[in-house]
Amino acid sequence: MFDRYSIFSLARNALSSHQNWPRAWRNPAPRRRYAAIIVGGGGHGLATAYYLAREYGIRDVAVLERGLIGLGNSGRNTTIVRSNYLWDASAQLYEHSLKIWERLSREINYNVMFSQRGVLNLAHDAHGLRELRRRVEANRLNGIDSEILSTAQVQRQVPALNCAPDARYPILGASFQRRGGVARHDALVWGLARAVDALGIDIIQHCEVTAIRQAGGRIIGVDTSRGPIDARTVGVAVAGHSSVLAHMAGFRLPLQSHPLQAFVSEPIKPVLDTVVMSNTVHVYVSQSDKGELVVGAGMDGYKSYSQRGSFPIVEATVNALVELFPSFRRLKMLRQWAGIVDVAPDASPIISRTPVGGLYFNCGWGTGGFKATPGSGHVFAHLLATGEPHPLGEPFTLDRFVTGALVDEHGAAAVAH
Amino acid sequence: MLLIPCPWCGPRDETEFTCGGEAHIVTPRAPEDLDDEAWGEFLYLRTNPKGRCAERWVHTHGCRRWFNVLRDTVTERILTVYEVGARPPQAGDD
Amino acid sequence: MTERNRLEAGGRIDRSHPLEFRFDGRSLTGYRGDTLASALLANGVHLVGRSFKYHRPRGVLGIGAEEPNALVQVARGAQTEPNVRATQLMLYEGLEASSQNRWPSLAVDLGGLADLASSWMPAGFYYKTFMWPARLWPFYERAIRRMAGLGRAPAAADPDDYDHMHAHCDVLVVGAGAAGLAAALAAARCGARVILADDQSEAGGQLLGERYEIGGRSALAWVSGAMAELRAMSEVRVLQRTTITGHYDHGYLIGCQVFREPGQPDPVGVPRQRLWKIRARRTVIAAGSIERPLVFPDNDRPGIMLAFAARAYCNRYGVRSGSRVVVVTACDDAYRTALDLAAAGVGIAAVVDLRPSGSGHLPRQVRARGIEVLIGQRIVGVRGRARVEALRTQSSAGGAIREIACDLVAMSAGWIPSVHLFSQARGELQFDERLGVFVPLGRLENVVCVGAARGTASLRGALQDGFFAGQVAAQACGLAGREEAQDIATVEPEEAPLDWRGIFGAASLGGRQFVDFQNDVTVDDVRLAVREGYDAPEHLKRYTTAGMGVDQGRTGNINVLALLAEARAEAMTTIAPTTFRPPYQALSFGAIAGALVGPLHAPTRKTPMHDWHAGRGAVFENVGQWKRPRHYPSAGETLQAAVDRECLAVRRGVAIADVSTLGNIDVQGPDAEAFIDRIYCTRMSALGIGRCRYGLMLRQDGMIFDDGIAARLGEQHYLVSTTTAGAASVFAWMEEWLQTEWPDLRVYCTSVTEHYAQIALSGPRSLELLGPLVDIELDAMPFMSMREARVAGVPARVFRLSYTGGPGFEIAVPAGRAYELWTTLFGAGERFGIIAYGTEAMHVLRAERGFIMVGHETDGSVTPGDLGFEGRLAMDKPFIGKRSLRRADLLRLDRKRLVGLLTQAPDCVLPEGAQLLDEPIDSPQSAAPVAMIGHVTSSYFSAHCARSIALGLVRGGQARLGDTLYAWVDGRAIEVTVTAPRFLDAAGKYAYG
C-alpha cells in the first residue's frame, strides 16, 4: 500500500529534513474507460471509492472532481459527528457511520482527529424535553449511547453555558451522546484520498462532468472537461450540485440547494469541551483543537449555488450563541463561509438508483452529511457494486417520494406546539 | 443581504420576505386521477436550477403579497419581478 | 519624558496628555494618540508575544490591521478581551494589557520547548501520528489544545453594550487616505449622499505615517482641509474608527465602529461598539495596502519590522523603534524609512538592497546622507533571540558574510493592495507582474478599487484615482458631475521597480524562514506541502494553516503563493489566490448581536391578563414567543398538587383560563365557505351560522400541521382558531393558497389574534356563573355554538365549547377590555370557589377526553387516519392534502395510530416520549436494535380518574385494544395496557373504573 505514517516515520523523515515524504495521492490523467466512475471528490465520493475497492475489489475506478478534492461541503462544515437521530432508519445509518469513525484513523492510516468529546442537544421547553426523551430512549433501544442530563448536569459539563432559570429560553435539560464529537474535516478527505489512491483508484481533479451519455436507458459514460470517459456504473455524490447532474441525465430530484453558513471565532485557550447544539435558538458550537469556536447556523431561506449566505443568518446565529454563552460576546468572528446543501423534503438523504440504469445518486444529506461520510460511502459502494440497496440504505431510496414513506427528521425536530 | 424589489412596496431587505420555492409548479386539476408516481412528482420533484430561477416570494413583513422573482442562483442578481399567474419573462431580456 | 525611545518632538500624539498603562504588570507611560504598540515601542518593549505553534518570541511587525504578532489580552474580569492587536488599540489611562500564549512568563515560556522539537513538527505532522494506541488520543489532544489557542475568553457575561445602525447612501467610500478622501470629496461635491468610513482614529490613512506634500503644503494639511470640507456637507457622514469588514450581495456592507477599547471606562453611556449595516448604491474601496515582508532565516525575531511601520512610528508617534537600524529592501520605497529615521536623528547602520542595483532617486538621497547602501545582497540570517542584534548578509553572488550590528531591521518587499472587500463582492483578481501581487481585475458594476488598493503606487495616482471614481460613482447615481480642476500636485521621485522574485532566501541557508508569522508557517512547510501533493492554494493553506490565523495572512499570503509557484515551477499567473471571505477584520459577537441579548433576545408576548397571572404566583412557560401560565401553585404546593387542584376544579366546580394566545383568523368574503372547506379535511360548509366545529389542517403531503375550531359568524364570515404556535404559519399558509392557487376566490383573511383576548370558563358550574352576567339565554345555546353578547357589559363573542371535554364557555372580548372582564368573572366566581388553571391542567383535561394536541400527538408524520379521524374526513370535497392520503405508505395497515395507555400501577406516570415495545427486554445493549412499536405522546396523572393516563401512537392502533405492551423507561420495562384513546365515559366519569 503506502509508506505508513507513524511517529517512527515522522522521526525518520525529520532526519532527512522531511525531504523524502511522497505525494499523498497521485495526480493522474483520466483514462478512456473505467469499470466505475464516482462523480464528486468530496468525502462521500472518496469514501465510496474506498469501499468499492476495499470491500468489493473494484479498483478500476475514477473519482472525477470538478475542482479540487474536499473543497465543497466536505471542507465547509462544522465537523460534528453524532448518530442520535430520532427515526430508526436514520439512527442506524448514522450509527453505522459513527462506528466507522471510531476506527477510521487507524484504518486509513491518517489521523482524522476524531475527538469524542460528546454532543449535547439542549431542550428549552416542555416540548423540547418530550422530544428529547423520545429520541434518547429510541437511541438506546437502537444500541446508540445516549442519555438525558438535568440542567445541573449540563452546567457541570459546560460551565460557560447560561443555565439561569430566568434566561429567555432557559435550559431545562439536554440529551448527551458521549461518543459523538468532532473530527478534522480536511483530514478525512485527504486521508481517504491517500487511501483510495493507494488502492489504485484514479483521483482526477479539475475534471468537470459536462454530459451523461446514455444508450438504451442506461449509462455508458460521461463527457468531461478532460474528454469522454466510458463507464457502465456511475455514482454521483456531488451534494448541492446533484440537481445539475440529474438535469444532464434527464430527470429531476426532490432537492433544493440552499446556502448553509458557518463561522469560526479567533482561537482562544480551551473554554468549551463538548459540542453544544440547540434547535430552539438555532445554533451549534464546538471548539476546535486549534482553539477556534466553530459555529453553525441555520440554512438561508432561498436557493443558491453561490457558496455565500446572507448576513442576517449570521446575526441570528450569533444572537443565539451569546444567549447561550453570554461570556462569548467579547470573542470575535474570524472567518465566515457557506456551503451548498441539497435538502430533501424530509431532510433525509437519498441513496438510490435512478431512472437511468447504472446511474446512482447519493445526495440529499442537507445539513448532516459530514458525520455520515464513511457510512454513506460504505452503503453507496454496496449499491454501486451490487445494484441493490444496502439494508441500511433501503429506507433512503427515491421510492419513498412515491409511496410517501418519508423519514421526516425535519418534522421531528421542528414541530412545536 | 438581498435587496428585493417588491412590486407593491419597492426595494426592501430580504429579511422582510419569505421565499416560497419554485414558481410555475402547476397544481394538477384532478389530483385524484393521478397515480402515486405522478402525484409524488408534483409534490416533490423540483428543477432546482443553477442559474436563472423563477421563484415565489412573499413580502411577509410588508404588504404580505406574493409575487414571482426571476433570480440567478449563482450571482444572486434579481432579473425581474412579476405577478403571480403571469408567464415568466423570456430568457435574454435582462 | 520617561519613555526612552520617544523622540523629543514630532508625531501626532498629544504630549500634554500623558497616560499610564500596564503591560505584563509593568507600569509604563505613553500619550493620548498612542496605540499600545507605539507606546510599548516608545518604552523600548519589542518582545510582546509568543507565536501560535512554536511559542517563539515575537515583536511588533506592523502598524495596523496587518499585525500578526502583537496580540495581547486587554483588561480584566468580564471585560477582558483576548487577541487584541496592539497596533490598533488606542491607549487610555489605566489600560492593562498582558502577553498571551506563554507560561509562566513572556520571557521564560515553557511552551518554547516546542521550538526545539520543531523538526518533528512540520506542517500537518499531527495527521501522521497520534493514531496509536487509540485510547491515548484524548490525552494527546488535550495537550494539543492547551498549547494551541491564543488569549483567554472572559469567564463572566460581557457587561458592555453594543448597538446597530442602519444607513443608506449613494456612495460608500472605504478608507480616508488620499484616494478615499479624494473620492469622497468628488462624490460629495456632486451632491451624492456619502458615507466615508475609516478604520483609524483620524483621517489620512498612510499619509499619517509619511512626510508627503500635496499642492505645496504638507499632505496632512490637505487632509485637514478635505475633512473640513466633508464635515461641512450635510449629506456626508464620516465614520472614524469604523472598519468596513463584510461586503455582501446587492451593495450591503457591514462595518464596526469602536467607541471604547476593552476595559476603557464609559463616562457618557456610549456603546462599546456599533455595527453599521450600510446599503450603498456604489462603493469605492480605498482601503490602501499592506507592506510585504521579506523572507529570510529567523525573519521573525523581535526588532524586525516592516519598513513603513518603522518610519510611521517615528513620523506619527514620535517613536524611534531602534537606535541602530538596518533597512532591508527589494524596492525603493523603504529608502524613505532610512531618510525619515535619519532625519529624526536615528542611527542608520545600512540599507541592504536585495536588487542588483540601487541607483534611483531615493537611494541617491540616502547615499547623499552618508548612509551605506549595499546592493545585490541576500540575507543569511540574524543574530539575537528576544531582540535582533545583528543582520547577517552576503552578496547574492556568494562570498563573505557580513554581520551588521543593529537593534532594528526595517524590511520591505513592496506593497500588497487591500483587495479584500473587492474580492468579497465577487471581484476577480489578477496577478500584476510589475508589483508582484494580485490586483483587481477591472471593476464591478457598483464597486471599484482606487489608489493603493488597486496597486496605484504614487500619491498623485491615488488622488487622481479617487477623484475620478468619486465622480463616476456620483454620476452613476444620477448626479451631475462637476468639472473641477483638482490641485493634486505632489512631489514624488521616480522609483525603480520592485524585485519581488528576489525576496526569498535560498533553501540552503538553514534556519527557519517564516512566511506566516502568526501560525508559524515556514518556507520548508510550504515546500513540504507541495511535495506531498497539497499543491493548490486552498489545499496548501489548509494543510499548512498559512493565512488561517487571526491576521488572516494579510502579510503572509502573497509570499506563500509566490513560494507555491516557485515550488511548482510555474508562473504566478497560473496561481489563483484563495477567495477572501468576510469579515475582513474579526468582528465581535457582541457587535453582531447588538442590543438583542438577555431579555431582548427574542420578543416576549404577554396576554392582557399577564399581570393578573403574575400576581397570583403563576409559573409561566414559553410557548413560542408567548408567556403562558403553566400552573398557579399555592404556597409550597408542588406542580402536581396544583395541577390536581386545578383539574378537579374544572371537573367539579368552575375554573377560569386564559386562552388568548390561540391564533384567531377572521375569514370573510363571498367565497369564504368554499375556502374553509378546502383548508380543513373535515366538512365545514355544513355549519350553520353561529355553529362551531373542530377541524384538522393538512399539508399538501397529507400530514397534520395544525388544528382548531372554526366558527361560522355569518353567511360569508368565519372565525378560524389555530394553535398558539401555529397562528402565524396558518395565516401565512391561507394567504399563500388564496393568492397563488385560488386567486379566483373572493376571500379576505385577517389575523385577529391580538385584537381579542379569550377567556375559558370551564366546569359544571360555569353556566351558573356566566348566566347572570350575559344578555343572552345561555341555556338555549347548543354545544359548539357561538353568540354575540355583552358579558358584564363588555361586547363579546360567547362560545359554548370546551377543550376540556366538560361543560364550559369561551368568551372572546376586545383585548383592551379583557382584564376588566377577567377580574369581573373571577370576582363573580368566588362564591363558586373559582380558581384559575394553567396549561398543564389543560393538557391533562384534554387528554382525559382524548383530544389530541398538535406537537404531542403529531410530529409532521401523522395523518388524520392515524389519529382516528378517517371517519370524519370529507372525501367528497377537495381539500389540501387529500390526494396524498391515498399513497401506499399512508394506507399501510400497520401505521402507528392513536391509543390510550394505562399502567398497572395507577400512580405510575410514564414519561412522555417513552418508547413502546412488544416484549420486555433486559437491556438494549444485548438486544439492540430493539423493535419499537410506538411511543408515549402525552402522559399525566389525572386526579379526576384517580390514576395515570397516557396517549400514544402504536403500530396497529386500536386493533391492539387490551394488549399488554411495555414502555421502556430509564432502562426498565413498564407494563401498559392498550385502551381506546379516551378515559372518560359519556357522563364524564372515568371509563375504566
Side-chain angles (χ1 to χ4, degrees), chain A residues 82-99:
Chain A
R82 63 186 177 93
S83 65
N84 56 350
Y85 279 70
L86 173 66
W87 301 107
D88 294 351
S90 318
Q92 285 163 13
L93 181 60
Y94 286 101
E95 176 64 13
H96 178 59
S97 191
L98 178 52
K99 287 217 169 78

Short mmCIF file of all heavy atoms in Angstrom, two decimals, chain A residues 82-99:
data_model
loop_
_atom_site.label_atom_id
_atom_site.label_comp_id
_atom_site.label_asym_id
_atom_site.label_seq_id
_atom_site.Cartn_x
_atom_site.Cartn_y
_atom_site.Cartn_z
N ARG A 82 -22.20 12.63 15.05
CA ARG A 82 -23.09 12.08 16.06
C ARG A 82 -24.03 11.11 15.36
O ARG A 82 -24.08 11.07 14.13
CB ARG A 82 -23.89 13.18 16.76
CG ARG A 82 -24.80 13.94 15.83
CD ARG A 82 -25.51 15.14 16.49
NE ARG A 82 -26.29 15.84 15.49
CZ ARG A 82 -27.58 15.61 15.23
NH1 ARG A 82 -28.24 14.69 15.91
NH2 ARG A 82 -28.21 16.27 14.29
N SER A 83 -24.79 10.35 16.13
CA SER A 83 -25.72 9.41 15.49
C SER A 83 -27.05 9.39 16.22
O SER A 83 -27.85 8.49 16.03
CB SER A 83 -25.12 8.00 15.48
OG SER A 83 -24.96 7.54 16.81
N ASN A 84 -27.32 10.39 17.05
CA ASN A 84 -28.51 10.36 17.90
C ASN A 84 -29.74 10.89 17.16
O ASN A 84 -30.37 11.85 17.59
CB ASN A 84 -28.27 11.13 19.20
CG ASN A 84 -27.83 12.57 18.96
OD1 ASN A 84 -27.53 12.94 17.84
ND2 ASN A 84 -27.80 13.35 20.01
N TYR A 85 -30.07 10.26 16.06
CA TYR A 85 -31.24 10.65 15.28
C TYR A 85 -32.50 9.96 15.80
O TYR A 85 -32.42 8.90 16.42
CB TYR A 85 -31.01 10.32 13.80
CG TYR A 85 -30.19 11.37 13.09
CD1 TYR A 85 -28.84 11.53 13.37
CD2 TYR A 85 -30.77 12.23 12.17
CE1 TYR A 85 -28.09 12.50 12.73
CE2 TYR A 85 -30.04 13.21 11.53
CZ TYR A 85 -28.69 13.34 11.81
OH TYR A 85 -27.95 14.31 11.18
N LEU A 86 -33.64 10.54 15.49
CA LEU A 86 -34.89 10.01 16.03
C LEU A 86 -35.32 8.71 15.37
O LEU A 86 -35.53 7.70 16.03
CB LEU A 86 -36.00 11.06 15.87
CG LEU A 86 -37.39 10.55 16.25
CD1 LEU A 86 -37.45 10.26 17.75
CD2 LEU A 86 -38.47 11.56 15.87
N TRP A 87 -35.48 8.74 14.06
CA TRP A 87 -36.08 7.59 13.40
C TRP A 87 -35.08 6.45 13.29
O TRP A 87 -33.89 6.67 13.09
CB TRP A 87 -36.59 7.98 12.01
CG TRP A 87 -37.62 9.06 12.06
CD1 TRP A 87 -37.46 10.35 11.69
CD2 TRP A 87 -38.98 8.95 12.54
NE1 TRP A 87 -38.61 11.08 11.89
CE2 TRP A 87 -39.57 10.24 12.41
CE3 TRP A 87 -39.75 7.91 13.06
CZ2 TRP A 87 -40.89 10.50 12.79
CZ3 TRP A 87 -41.06 8.18 13.43
CH2 TRP A 87 -41.62 9.45 13.29
N ASP A 88 -35.58 5.26 13.38
CA ASP A 88 -34.71 4.07 13.34
C ASP A 88 -33.81 4.07 12.12
O ASP A 88 -32.62 3.80 12.20
CB ASP A 88 -35.57 2.79 13.30
CG ASP A 88 -36.37 2.61 14.58
OD1 ASP A 88 -36.13 3.36 15.53
OD2 ASP A 88 -37.24 1.71 14.60
N ALA A 89 -34.41 4.37 10.96
CA ALA A 89 -33.66 4.28 9.72
C ALA A 89 -32.47 5.23 9.76
O ALA A 89 -31.34 4.86 9.39
CB ALA A 89 -34.56 4.61 8.53
N SER A 90 -32.71 6.45 10.23
CA SER A 90 -31.62 7.43 10.29
C SER A 90 -30.60 7.02 11.33
O SER A 90 -29.39 7.04 11.10
CB SER A 90 -32.16 8.81 10.67
OG SER A 90 -33.35 9.09 10.00
N ALA A 91 -31.10 6.68 12.51
CA ALA A 91 -30.20 6.37 13.62
C ALA A 91 -29.25 5.24 13.24
O ALA A 91 -28.05 5.30 13.50
CB ALA A 91 -31.00 6.00 14.86
N GLN A 92 -29.80 4.23 12.57
CA GLN A 92 -28.95 3.09 12.24
C GLN A 92 -27.92 3.44 11.16
O GLN A 92 -26.78 2.99 11.20
CB GLN A 92 -29.82 1.90 11.84
CG GLN A 92 -30.46 1.27 13.08
CD GLN A 92 -31.65 0.38 12.79
OE1 GLN A 92 -31.88 0.03 11.65
NE2 GLN A 92 -32.40 0.04 13.82
N LEU A 93 -28.33 4.27 10.23
CA LEU A 93 -27.39 4.69 9.20
C LEU A 93 -26.27 5.54 9.78
O LEU A 93 -25.09 5.32 9.50
CB LEU A 93 -28.15 5.47 8.12
CG LEU A 93 -27.33 5.98 6.93
CD1 LEU A 93 -26.68 4.82 6.19
CD2 LEU A 93 -28.23 6.78 5.98
N TYR A 94 -26.62 6.50 10.62
CA TYR A 94 -25.60 7.38 11.19
C TYR A 94 -24.73 6.63 12.21
O TYR A 94 -23.55 6.92 12.36
CB TYR A 94 -26.24 8.62 11.81
CG TYR A 94 -26.74 9.62 10.78
CD1 TYR A 94 -28.09 9.70 10.46
CD2 TYR A 94 -25.87 10.46 10.12
CE1 TYR A 94 -28.55 10.61 9.51
CE2 TYR A 94 -26.31 11.37 9.16
CZ TYR A 94 -27.65 11.44 8.86
OH TYR A 94 -28.09 12.33 7.92
N GLU A 95 -25.34 5.69 12.91
CA GLU A 95 -24.56 4.90 13.86
C GLU A 95 -23.56 4.01 13.12
O GLU A 95 -22.42 3.83 13.57
CB GLU A 95 -25.48 4.05 14.74
CG GLU A 95 -24.78 3.11 15.71
CD GLU A 95 -23.94 3.82 16.77
OE1 GLU A 95 -24.10 5.04 16.93
OE2 GLU A 95 -23.12 3.13 17.42
N HIS A 96 -23.98 3.48 11.99
CA HIS A 96 -23.07 2.71 11.15
C HIS A 96 -21.84 3.57 10.82
O HIS A 96 -20.70 3.11 10.89
CB HIS A 96 -23.83 2.34 9.87
CG HIS A 96 -23.02 1.57 8.87
ND1 HIS A 96 -22.44 0.36 9.15
CD2 HIS A 96 -22.72 1.84 7.58
CE1 HIS A 96 -21.79 -0.08 8.08
NE2 HIS A 96 -21.95 0.81 7.11
N SER A 97 -22.11 4.82 10.51
CA SER A 97 -21.03 5.73 10.18
C SER A 97 -20.16 6.04 11.39
O SER A 97 -18.93 6.02 11.32
CB SER A 97 -21.63 7.02 9.61
OG SER A 97 -20.64 7.81 9.04
N LEU A 98 -20.82 6.29 12.51
CA LEU A 98 -20.08 6.62 13.73
C LEU A 98 -19.14 5.48 14.12
O LEU A 98 -18.00 5.71 14.54
CB LEU A 98 -21.06 6.93 14.86
CG LEU A 98 -20.49 7.25 16.25
CD1 LEU A 98 -19.43 8.34 16.18
CD2 LEU A 98 -21.60 7.68 17.19
N LYS A 99 -19.60 4.26 13.94
CA LYS A 99 -18.75 3.11 14.28
C LYS A 99 -17.50 3.10 13.39
O LYS A 99 -16.41 2.74 13.83
CB LYS A 99 -19.53 1.82 14.12
CG LYS A 99 -20.58 1.60 15.21
CD LYS A 99 -20.68 0.13 15.59
CE LYS A 99 -21.52 -0.05 16.85
NZ LYS A 99 -22.96 0.05 16.59
#
